[in-house]
Each structure stands twice: as C-alpha cells, then as structure tokens.
Amino acid sequence: MAKKPTYEELEKRVKELEKQADDYKRVMRELRYSEERLKIIFEYAPDAYYLNDLKGNFIDGNTAAEVIIGYKKEELIGKNFLKLKLLPQSQILKAATVLAKNVLGKATGPDEFTLNRKEGGQITVEICRSEEHMSELQSHSFISYAVFCLKKKH
C-alpha cells in the first residue's frame, strides 16, 4: 500500500502546480501576443501575400493582395486557383507546372503571371514561392508555406 503524503508534501505539490499554471498562462499570453503581431505584419505588409495548399486551394491572403486582384480573400479561400478565372487560360499550364514543382518541395520564382482582376482588366505580377512546410494536417496532406509574394512590375 502506498504511503499517504504528508500535509507539507501536499502543500508543496499544490505550490508546484500553481507555478506550472502561472507559467502556462504566461506562455499562452506571449503566444497570443506573438500571433497578433504576426497577423498584423501579414495583413498590412506592403507586398501582396496569398497562402495556398499543395493542391492549389487558397488558404489566406492579405490586404495588398485584395487590392491588386480586386477580390476579397473570403471570395477565394477554399477555392482552387487553377479553376478560378484569376489566370488567363493561356497561363493555367504554367501555373500547374509551378505548383507541381512546389509539391516536390522546390522553391519557384520569381515567375511572371498575368492575373485577371475582378473588375476587369489584367495586371502583371511576379509570384515567388518558398519550399517550406508550415504544418501537417490530420489528413496527412501538407499546407505549403508557399507564400505568393505578388509584386507589381515596374
């Protein structure tokens, strides 16, 4: 039979647990602060950024990207950029080739693309993508750290 802890041992253990709880709360506050800073940096960056998964589905985008293409990110999130009318038909194969290289873990760009703006007209941009992976999803597919750094050509 296990020996019952003394009052002093229980009191010591309670203090240890309280310290762990305080440390956890501090770390969570720091994490929330860090997430907010990153969100602000991403959202208000002067360059346009879009994140997509390795199937070409939009995950997120920032304000500058919305201004460049005229679409709100909510209109694109979850949709596949190869199936949207964002790219002219003549550039779908090129975009699919770039995506295939990213699926293989290769960085690409800068690649020049012409994008169809929502309100009509087109804009030429350079799209760069990194090879990093952010996280593995439960479905065992990866979200690419494939940030579209869309830059207006001068």
Side-chain angles (χ1 to χ4, degrees), residues 69-134:
I69 60 173
Y71 288 91
K72 294 287 185 192
K73 64 183 171 183
E74 293 80 14
E75 296 176 82
L76 299 176
I77 291 175
K79 295 186 175 105
N80 189 288
F81 75 82
L82 294 172
K83 296 178 182 174
L84 292 169
K85 294 180 180 169
L86 194 57
L87 290 167
Q89 191 65 34
S90 62
Q91 295 202 337
I92 298 292
L93 180 59
K94 179 180 177 182
T97 301
V98 168
L99 181 61
K101 288 179 183 177
N102 294 135
V103 168
L104 296 173
K106 297 179 181 176
T108 56
D111 295 295
E112 188 174 294
F113 284 93
T114 299
L115 300 179
N116 297 320
R117 300 193 78 239
K118 181 179 180 179
E119 303 302 327
Q122 295 181 324
I123 186 166
T124 301
V125 296
E126 292 179 345
I127 300 178
C128 309
R129 305 175 88 196
S130 75
E131 62 197 52
E132 305 296 322
H133 292 289
M134 277 177 28

